[in-house]
PDB file of all heavy atoms in Angstrom:
ATOM      1  N   VAL A 380      50.070 -74.567  16.286  1.00 67.00           N
ATOM      2  CA  VAL A 380      49.881 -74.943  14.896  1.00 67.00           C
ATOM      3  C   VAL A 380      50.618 -73.971  13.950  1.00 67.00           C
ATOM      4  O   VAL A 380      51.307 -74.412  12.992  1.00 67.00           O
ATOM      5  CB  VAL A 380      48.419 -75.022  14.564  1.00 67.00           C
ATOM      6  CG1 VAL A 380      48.184 -75.256  13.057  1.00 67.00           C
ATOM      7  CG2 VAL A 380      47.656 -76.102  15.358  1.00 67.00           C
ATOM      8  N   LEU A 381      50.516 -72.717  14.239  1.00 69.00           N
ATOM      9  CA  LEU A 381      51.151 -71.670  13.367  1.00 69.00           C
ATOM     10  C   LEU A 381      52.683 -71.829  13.403  1.00 69.00           C
ATOM     11  O   LEU A 381      53.342 -71.783  12.348  1.00 69.00           O
ATOM     12  CB  LEU A 381      50.758 -70.284  13.816  1.00 69.00           C
ATOM     13  CG  LEU A 381      49.434 -69.726  13.262  1.00 69.00           C
ATOM     14  CD1 LEU A 381      49.123 -68.378  13.910  1.00 69.00           C
ATOM     15  CD2 LEU A 381      49.562 -69.501  11.747  1.00 69.00           C
ATOM     16  N   CYS A 382      53.225 -71.991  14.583  1.00 71.00           N
ATOM     17  CA  CYS A 382      54.683 -72.068  14.717  1.00 71.00           C
ATOM     18  C   CYS A 382      55.247 -73.341  14.029  1.00 71.00           C
ATOM     19  O   CYS A 382      56.228 -73.256  13.277  1.00 71.00           O
ATOM     20  CB  CYS A 382      55.077 -72.094  16.216  1.00 71.00           C
ATOM     21  SG  CYS A 382      54.855 -70.517  17.022  1.00 71.00           S
ATOM     22  N   ARG A 383      54.588 -74.478  14.249  1.00 63.00           N
ATOM     23  CA  ARG A 383      55.061 -75.722  13.654  1.00 63.00           C
ATOM     24  C   ARG A 383      54.879 -75.734  12.144  1.00 63.00           C
ATOM     25  O   ARG A 383      55.669 -76.244  11.378  1.00 63.00           O
ATOM     26  CB  ARG A 383      54.349 -76.907  14.262  1.00 63.00           C
ATOM     27  CG  ARG A 383      54.749 -77.188  15.703  1.00 63.00           C
ATOM     28  CD  ARG A 383      56.235 -77.514  15.819  1.00 63.00           C
ATOM     29  NE  ARG A 383      56.626 -78.608  14.997  1.00 63.00           N
ATOM     30  CZ  ARG A 383      56.565 -79.861  15.337  1.00 63.00           C
ATOM     31  NH1 ARG A 383      56.131 -80.195  16.590  1.00 63.00           N
ATOM     32  NH2 ARG A 383      56.961 -80.862  14.550  1.00 63.00           N
ATOM     33  N   ARG A 384      53.792 -75.053  11.709  1.00 59.00           N
ATOM     34  CA  ARG A 384      53.543 -75.012  10.263  1.00 59.00           C
ATOM     35  C   ARG A 384      54.615 -74.176   9.534  1.00 59.00           C
ATOM     36  O   ARG A 384      55.004 -74.443   8.396  1.00 59.00           O
ATOM     37  CB  ARG A 384      52.173 -74.388  10.035  1.00 59.00           C
ATOM     38  CG  ARG A 384      51.675 -74.540   8.555  1.00 59.00           C
ATOM     39  CD  ARG A 384      50.410 -73.697   8.360  1.00 59.00           C
ATOM     40  NE  ARG A 384      49.765 -74.018   7.120  1.00 59.00           N
ATOM     41  CZ  ARG A 384      50.206 -73.753   5.923  1.00 59.00           C
ATOM     42  NH1 ARG A 384      51.407 -73.206   5.785  1.00 59.00           N
ATOM     43  NH2 ARG A 384      49.515 -74.081   4.832  1.00 59.00           N
ATOM     44  N   SER A 385      55.079 -73.137  10.207  1.00 57.00           N
ATOM     45  CA  SER A 385      56.090 -72.239   9.622  1.00 57.00           C
ATOM     46  C   SER A 385      57.497 -72.872   9.636  1.00 57.00           C
ATOM     47  O   SER A 385      58.317 -72.681   8.724  1.00 57.00           O
ATOM     48  CB  SER A 385      56.141 -70.908  10.389  1.00 57.00           C
ATOM     49  OG  SER A 385      54.874 -70.289  10.352  1.00 57.00           O
ATOM     50  N   ARG A 386      57.816 -73.670  10.670  1.00 58.00           N
ATOM     51  CA  ARG A 386      59.147 -74.182  10.874  1.00 58.00           C
ATOM     52  C   ARG A 386      59.383 -75.594  10.371  1.00 58.00           C
ATOM     53  O   ARG A 386      60.523 -75.938  10.010  1.00 58.00           O
ATOM     54  CB  ARG A 386      59.525 -74.127  12.304  1.00 58.00           C
ATOM     55  CG  ARG A 386      59.507 -72.721  12.923  1.00 58.00           C
ATOM     56  CD  ARG A 386      59.832 -72.761  14.394  1.00 58.00           C
ATOM     57  NE  ARG A 386      59.761 -71.445  14.991  1.00 58.00           N
ATOM     58  CZ  ARG A 386      59.901 -71.190  16.291  1.00 58.00           C
ATOM     59  NH1 ARG A 386      60.170 -72.213  17.116  1.00 58.00           N
ATOM     60  NH2 ARG A 386      59.873 -69.951  16.755  1.00 58.00           N
ATOM     61  N   ASP A 387      58.340 -76.428  10.326  1.00 54.00           N
ATOM     62  CA  ASP A 387      58.523 -77.837  10.047  1.00 54.00           C
ATOM     63  C   ASP A 387      58.152 -78.144   8.589  1.00 54.00           C
ATOM     64  O   ASP A 387      57.016 -78.084   8.199  1.00 54.00           O
ATOM     65  CB  ASP A 387      57.649 -78.676  10.994  1.00 54.00           C
ATOM     66  CG  ASP A 387      57.982 -80.149  10.917  1.00 54.00           C
ATOM     67  OD1 ASP A 387      58.750 -80.549  10.055  1.00 54.00           O
ATOM     68  OD2 ASP A 387      57.425 -80.925  11.742  1.00 54.00           O
ATOM     69  N   PRO A 388      59.136 -78.488   7.762  1.00 49.00           N
ATOM     70  CA  PRO A 388      58.854 -78.781   6.358  1.00 49.00           C
ATOM     71  C   PRO A 388      58.061 -80.052   6.176  1.00 49.00           C
ATOM     72  O   PRO A 388      57.403 -80.283   5.185  1.00 49.00           O
ATOM     73  CB  PRO A 388      60.279 -78.919   5.714  1.00 49.00           C
ATOM     74  CG  PRO A 388      61.142 -79.303   6.831  1.00 49.00           C
ATOM     75  CD  PRO A 388      60.589 -78.567   8.042  1.00 49.00           C
ATOM     76  N   ALA A 389      58.104 -80.940   7.194  1.00 47.00           N
ATOM     77  CA  ALA A 389      57.378 -82.187   7.130  1.00 47.00           C
ATOM     78  C   ALA A 389      55.994 -82.085   7.779  1.00 47.00           C
ATOM     79  O   ALA A 389      55.401 -83.048   8.147  1.00 47.00           O
ATOM     80  CB  ALA A 389      58.171 -83.279   7.804  1.00 47.00           C
ATOM     81  N   TYR A 390      55.520 -80.824   7.944  1.00 46.00           N
ATOM     82  CA  TYR A 390      54.219 -80.558   8.571  1.00 46.00           C
ATOM     83  C   TYR A 390      53.131 -81.313   7.879  1.00 46.00           C
ATOM     84  O   TYR A 390      53.038 -81.333   6.648  1.00 46.00           O
ATOM     85  CB  TYR A 390      53.927 -79.053   8.540  1.00 46.00           C
ATOM     86  CG  TYR A 390      52.656 -78.656   9.107  1.00 46.00           C
ATOM     87  CD1 TYR A 390      52.521 -78.423  10.462  1.00 46.00           C
ATOM     88  CD2 TYR A 390      51.490 -78.482   8.292  1.00 46.00           C
ATOM     89  CE1 TYR A 390      51.308 -78.012  11.002  1.00 46.00           C
ATOM     90  CE2 TYR A 390      50.296 -78.119   8.865  1.00 46.00           C
ATOM     91  CZ  TYR A 390      50.220 -77.858  10.183  1.00 46.00           C
ATOM     92  OH  TYR A 390      49.028 -77.472  10.724  1.00 46.00           O
ATOM     93  N   GLU A 391      52.275 -81.984   8.663  1.00 48.00           N
ATOM     94  CA  GLU A 391      51.256 -82.856   8.114  1.00 48.00           C
ATOM     95  C   GLU A 391      49.906 -82.114   8.168  1.00 48.00           C
ATOM     96  O   GLU A 391      49.487 -81.653   9.208  1.00 48.00           O
ATOM     97  CB  GLU A 391      51.174 -84.122   8.929  1.00 48.00           C
ATOM     98  CG  GLU A 391      50.076 -85.100   8.436  1.00 48.00           C
ATOM     99  CD  GLU A 391      49.963 -86.346   9.251  1.00 48.00           C
ATOM    100  OE1 GLU A 391      50.975 -86.622  10.001  1.00 48.00           O
ATOM    101  OE2 GLU A 391      48.928 -87.013   9.276  1.00 48.00           O
ATOM    102  N   LEU A 392      49.215 -82.017   7.050  1.00 48.00           N
ATOM    103  CA  LEU A 392      47.928 -81.397   6.990  1.00 48.00           C
ATOM    104  C   LEU A 392      46.896 -82.265   7.700  1.00 48.00           C
ATOM    105  O   LEU A 392      46.967 -83.484   7.704  1.00 48.00           O
ATOM    106  CB  LEU A 392      47.470 -81.167   5.556  1.00 48.00           C
ATOM    107  CG  LEU A 392      48.376 -80.194   4.700  1.00 48.00           C
ATOM    108  CD1 LEU A 392      47.818 -80.093   3.316  1.00 48.00           C
ATOM    109  CD2 LEU A 392      48.443 -78.885   5.355  1.00 48.00           C
ATOM    110  N   LEU A 393      45.889 -81.576   8.284  1.00 45.00           N
ATOM    111  CA  LEU A 393      44.831 -82.289   9.001  1.00 45.00           C
ATOM    112  C   LEU A 393      43.969 -83.072   8.061  1.00 45.00           C
ATOM    113  O   LEU A 393      43.487 -84.191   8.350  1.00 45.00           O
ATOM    114  CB  LEU A 393      43.968 -81.299   9.815  1.00 45.00           C
ATOM    115  CG  LEU A 393      43.007 -81.914  10.769  1.00 45.00           C
ATOM    116  CD1 LEU A 393      43.666 -82.697  11.866  1.00 45.00           C
ATOM    117  CD2 LEU A 393      42.137 -80.784  11.400  1.00 45.00           C
TER     118      LEU A 393
END
Side-chain angles (χ1 to χ4, degrees):
V380 174
L381 274 173
C382 290
R383 290 301 303 273
R384 192 190 192 291
S385 301
R386 298 177 183 177
D387 191 353
Y390 179 85
E391 181 183 340
L392 296 180
L393 189 62

